[in-house]
Amino acid sequence: MSTITTPTRKVGFVSLGCPKALVDSEQILTQLRAEGYETANSYDGADLVIVNTCGFIDAAVQESLDAIGEALSENGKVIVTGCLGAKKDAQGDDIIQKVHPKVLAVTGPHALGEVMNAVHLHLPKPHEPFMDLVPAQGIKLTPRHYAYLKISEGCNHRCSFCIIPSMRGDLVSRPIAEVMLEAENLFKSGVKELLVISQDTSAYGVDVKFRTGFWNGKPVRTHMTQLVAALGELGASYGAWVRLHYVYPYPHVDDVIPLMNQGVVVPYLDVPLQHAHPAVLKRMKRPANGEKNIERIAAWRAMCPDITIRSTFIAGFPGETEEEFEYLLDFLKEAQIDRLGCFAYSPVQGATANELADPVPAELREERRGRVMQLQETISKQRLQARVGKSLRVLIDEVDKAGSAVGRSAADAPEIDGVVYVKAPYEPHRKLKVGEFVDVAVTASDAHDLWAKA
Ligand code: SF4
């Protein structure tokens, strides 16, 4: 008797870049699994390798090019996707094709269909899909208890330091019913924290004129505030957190703050401000650059005293004078931002800001970045110190053999903020679990993290 065996088709996957690229990787992996492909853990075991690249700053470009080179030498059959795939050099030539002409195919970001076409061409489908073998929430690259939810792709702004719109195109909002269904599947699968991402979360629905969709038989508009309310309500029914990233300070964002105060969504707002001086913001062509951000932040804190504000800034933007930089420092002293990242300006190839007059020398850019971070260290230390002695709800991310754990409070997004180190509970039979919410008492702090006991 003979048996017929279907040959397996194995695809290796290298995922680089930001959470938005990670979501693209998850969608490709989900589709591969749905079509019966397997994933390989080594170059040797793979029939083909997909590299999802990042092209944001020069260091990321180099890392992506190195990863492609490694995949080519170790495996030989390589498909490239992601932001670097859409990037051209100064001569207008495709960067990847120029450095690595042997790659099988190159696509830009958010190109599931094109990537799958290239896969089918070079590694035919193993069999017809058994869609029900794929988990409804798709394949996730994050730990099981948290997940990113991408609500839109692309961006309508043209910030002068950024090349994302040229790589990812204009804003395209996902239909609200599709977003809600994905959120529901994630919660059902055990996700305890949903991180809403996009290039500009506040702009959700602008491209479709805030069209009305339907969720659970009820009309709901494709609009940030309605989406946040619906996600918060859904998350609460599963005992899970919903956290918002990349929110620009438009007036309608004020409508979301009461939802944070009511506990519908986590009181955490990630608002990338990039600078404070009006002239620099104008040169940066930032969205909402006319908003009075100090007043807005004060109003948000009045509406929701527990709110954590995270932001990012750029030091040494072209033309930044010492006076403009000190204006930024004064702003930071007054704004008392809880979580802050600061980058020295990096002249990304293709960004219009590179043509602005009076570029700041690299050394001075770094020095200014250092001054921002030094100031922030003092601010953060004081703000975290104020939490000592208080109780907090923490979501556990890791547990060691002795039972001590690392978790995060509502004030800490994964990967980018601080953590809460939780001492093992005293009860001998009570071991903390990953993905569990625990109430802890804060015992100590430093400039980034907290220590607590369960
Ligand atoms: S808002 Fe500005 S920085 Fe953000 S993706 Fe759009 S163009 Fe880039």
Side-chain angles (χ1 to χ4, degrees), residues 84-97:
L84 186 57
K87 210 171 168 184
K88 309 262 182 228
D89 65 11
Q91 289 75 46
D93 295 327
D94 184 303
I95 292 181
I96 293 172
Q97 300 281 16

Side-chain angles (χ1 to χ4, degrees), residues 18-24 26-27 137 140-143 145-151 174 182-183 186 191 193-198 243 245-246 413-416:
C18 64
K20 283 150 272 191
L22 186 83
V23 171
D24 286 353
E26 290 174 342
Q27 287 169 350
Q137 76 278 15
K140 293 282 145 204
L141 297 172
T142 44
H145 62 287
Y146 70 80
Y148 295 99
L149 179 70
K150 184 156 70 171
I151 59 169
R174 293 178 62 197
E182 184 175 336
L186 288 166
V191 162
E193 179 177 4
L194 197 63
L195 301 122
V196 176
I197 57 166
S198 65
R243 188 186 295 280
H245 285 283
Y246 312 113
E415 311 281 339
I416 49 174

